[in-house]
Amino acid sequence: MTEHMNLHAAQHATQHVLVNIEGPILTLSLNRPDKKNALTNAMYGVLADGLQRAHDDSSIRCVVIESVGDSFTAGNDLSDFASISAGSGPAVRHVTRFLHGLAAADKPIVAAVHGLAVGVGTTMLLHCDVVCVTEQARLITPFVNLALVPEAASSLLLQARIGYARAFTMIALGEPVDGKTAVEWGLARYLVAPESLRAKALAVAHSLAEKPIGALRATKRLMRDSALIAQTMDRESEVFAERLKSPEAAEAFRAFAEKRAPNFAQFS
Ligand code: COA
């Protein structure tokens, strides 16, 4: 029974994240458009495997992360969060493997972002080396609105990138950042028309794939303190796990499921 269920989850995950290798480029496409590409545990598993494959396979020289449908991703699946909050989460949480895969990635990662990039949808971009966005992109990190805390080392990387003042209002107030502003603030590199987004990301990926991989790897190592990033992720994960089980977070997840605003006034 368990094996059957695992198989079922794995099949869904395979459909919900498309993995494509074409020449030196490995592309991970988020493909759960009816749920705005919200990321399930199984989807994190496929993403983590993809990053591992890129790490291990010397023929792969660049990774592209993109999405199908009108959103990049609505972030972590909130019903998965609700299960963890209720004490019935999965035995293995692949998100940790995915985040550590991003921290450790020594080949370049290019992202193509249109529509909503919520929560981890934005924080994963802090680990991508080239981010292409459309004007309609909306980067949102509503961690405090969900009674949670920043993850994916964003407590460190977001303020390093855009300064504390902007980072705090993104995280604590959930203020969205549009594509144009994302480029102005340095959260993204290229502002692209929607019809050119994929082509631009692939063109950048191919340019990077032609560079000497040894120099690229060494450059990433020099420019990113991956040990500090991994350490920060672990520190955040501890607090995040506590927050997931808090009554405040349970209220936030219940409110989302019931399509109403949360009531945090009851907590002191
Ligand atoms: N987890 C699970 N399901 C999600 C989801 C998420 N993070 N985000 C969206 N969905 C689902 C909705 O429940 C809905 O499913 P349904 O059609 O079965 O009811 C479907 O995706 C479409 O979303 P909907 O809310 O109808 O679209 P919208 O355009 O009105 O709003 C969002 C889109 C992303 C603004 C809204 O869905 C939202 O706030 N999602 C939660 C985002 C979030 O907090 N993520 C976690 C960050 S840590």
Side-chain angles (χ1 to χ4, degrees):
M1 181 66 182
T2 311
E3 198 176 314
H4 176 257
M5 279 168 61
N6 285 344
L7 209 64
H8 194 62
Q11 275 164 357
H12 271 291
T14 320
Q15 295 158 5
H16 289 159
V17 179
L18 307 175
V19 184
N20 183 44
I21 297 175
E22 219 172 303
I25 316 289
L26 183 144
T27 302
L28 299 167
S29 302
L30 309 178
N31 182 38
R32 197 189 176 206
D34 56 322
K35 298 287 181 188
K36 308 268 172 199
N37 296 325
L39 295 167
T40 59
N41 191 44
M43 288 166 76
Y44 283 123
V46 179
L47 291 170
D49 291 347
L51 291 181
Q52 189 65 49
R53 169 80 193 264
H55 186 270
D56 296 342
D57 184 339
S58 60
S59 70
I60 294 167
R61 288 173 168 252
C62 188
V63 174
V64 172
I65 304 181
E66 58 161 25
S67 67
V68 173
D70 64 10
S71 306
F72 183 59
T73 168
N76 204 103
D77 188 292
L78 288 179
S79 49
D80 274 13
F81 272 171
S83 305
I84 298 167
S85 171
S88 58
V92 179
R93 292 195 62 213
H94 294 298
V95 63
T96 312
R97 217 158 48 82
F98 171 60
L99 295 182
H100 279 274
L102 286 174
D106 62 356
K107 291 179 185 172
I109 307 178
V110 176
V113 182
H114 67 282
L116 291 162
V118 187
V120 71
T122 287
T123 58
M124 77 166 86
L125 303 179
L126 300 167
H127 302 272
C128 295
D129 305 288
V130 183
V131 177
C132 308
V133 289
T134 66
E135 216 164 308
Q136 294 75 22
R138 291 289 176 277
L139 277 52
I140 315 176
T141 51
F143 295 115
V144 173
N145 291 347
L146 291 165
L148 299 172
V149 290
E151 37 70 317
S154 61
S155 62
L156 172 79
L157 298 176
L158 190 60
Q159 58 172 316
R161 190 75 70 83
I162 65 175
Y164 186 88
R166 291 163 174 162
F168 189 80
T169 54
M170 281 188 77
I171 290 169
L173 295 178
E175 279 183 356
V177 173
D178 62 31
K180 190 163 171 282
T181 310
V183 173
E184 282 166 12
W185 288 5
L187 285 169
R189 176 64 185 90
Y190 298 115
L191 188 65
V192 191
E195 61 276 15
S196 314
L197 180 65
R198 188 155 196 275
K200 176 68 183 176
L202 284 175
V204 173
H206 278 287
S207 303
L208 288 165
E210 285 167 11
K211 303 294 175 199
I213 189 77
L216 262 181
R217 272 214 190 93
T219 298
K220 275 198 73 157
R221 275 195 215 111
L222 288 168
M223 291 180 75
R224 294 170 43 87
D225 187 343
S226 56
L228 176 64
I229 290 171
Q231 231 176 57
T232 307
M233 284 176 175
D234 290 342
R235 208 157 48 85
E236 290 170 344
S237 291
E238 271 180 41
V239 185
F240 200 96
E242 281 167 22
R243 295 299 320 164
L244 271 178
K245 292 186 178 148
S246 68
E248 289 178 348
E251 164 60 9
F253 305 146
R254 232 183 352 257
F256 179 74
E258 292 167 7
K259 298 187 189 291
R260 61 168 172 84
N263 171 16
F264 295 125
Q266 55 185 309
F267 305 109
S268 54

